Amino acid sequence: MATIIACFKWVVDEAYIRRGSSGELDFSAVDYKISDYDRNAIEEAVRLKDAVGGSVIALTVGVPEATKGVKDALSRGTDQCYFIADPSFQGSGTRQTAKILADVIRNRVGPFRPDPLREGSSDLYAQQVGPRLAENLGIPAFPSYRKSAWTGIR
């Protein structure tokens, strides 16, 4: 049976960003959400599970305050969620995030058949974690315009 991995990022919900009195962006009342692209990836992973069987593991890296992301990912039909949390992850770059994700996949999830499909996250849209993750795992990376996040199948 296939195990499908859907990585996601917990990001600022842009609907809550306001403009301050002097024109600067005010983030004081923002809420957070799973990136829109990553919500699509989780949905696609669950659909794939329904079609071929197996299970879906959601995986994220973040600060301890982002635990609502785990509940959100589980409520979308994933079977498990790995949340690697540390206060030092605040503002971490794509290189560090990809390394942590790769370590978790290697040490907790195990072998899998790769299907890298990451487009970007809805906050920075740097499009770097997916290719860097693939590099760390020694698997091919290629862009996909039909799906919107990195998934792996073992």
Side-chain angles (χ1 to χ4, degrees):
M1 290 231 160
T3 298
I4 305 157
I5 303 166
C7 297
F8 70 92
K9 187 173 183 182
W10 192 242
V11 300
V12 169
D13 187 339
E14 57 276 354
Y16 292 91
I17 300 172
R18 301 288 179 246
R19 177 173 268 181
S21 59
S22 61
E24 78 284 354
L25 295 179
D26 179 6
F27 291 89
S28 64
V30 297
D31 201 1
Y32 291 81
K33 66 179 183 178
I34 292 177
S35 167
D36 292 335
Y37 300 107
D38 297 337
R39 284 198 319 240
N40 294 340
I42 290 170
E43 180 182 346
E44 185 66 27
V46 171
R47 284 183 185 168
L48 185 58
K49 174 186 87 166
D50 292 344
V52 300
S55 63
V56 175
I57 296 174
L59 174 59
T60 191
V61 172
V63 295
E65 297 79 23
T67 56
K68 284 174 45 178
V70 173
K71 292 177 186 175
D72 191 355
L74 290 169
S75 74
R76 294 175 185 279
T78 63
D79 299 294
Q80 296 178 44
C81 185
Y82 292 150
F83 175 38
I84 313 308
D86 191 289
S88 68
F89 296 160
Q90 180 72 38
S92 64
T94 58
R95 182 183 199 192
Q96 180 185 14
T97 300
K99 183 182 180 327
I100 294 165
L101 291 170
D103 288 345
V104 171
I105 291 169
R106 269 196 297 279
N107 297 318
R108 294 194 185 177
V109 177
F112 60 94
R113 188 186 88 219
D115 183 15
L117 302 167
R118 185 173 223 10
E119 191 172 321
S121 60
S122 61
D123 60 347
L124 298 176
Y125 201 69
Q127 300 177 309
Q128 292 295 305
V129 173
R132 288 176 184 265
L133 178 56
E135 176 69 23
N136 281 307
L137 293 172
I139 60 175
F142 56 90
S144 171
Y145 302 103
R146 345 175 246 112
K147 299 179 186 173
S148 59
W150 189 91
T151 60
I153 302 172
R154 73 170 173 160

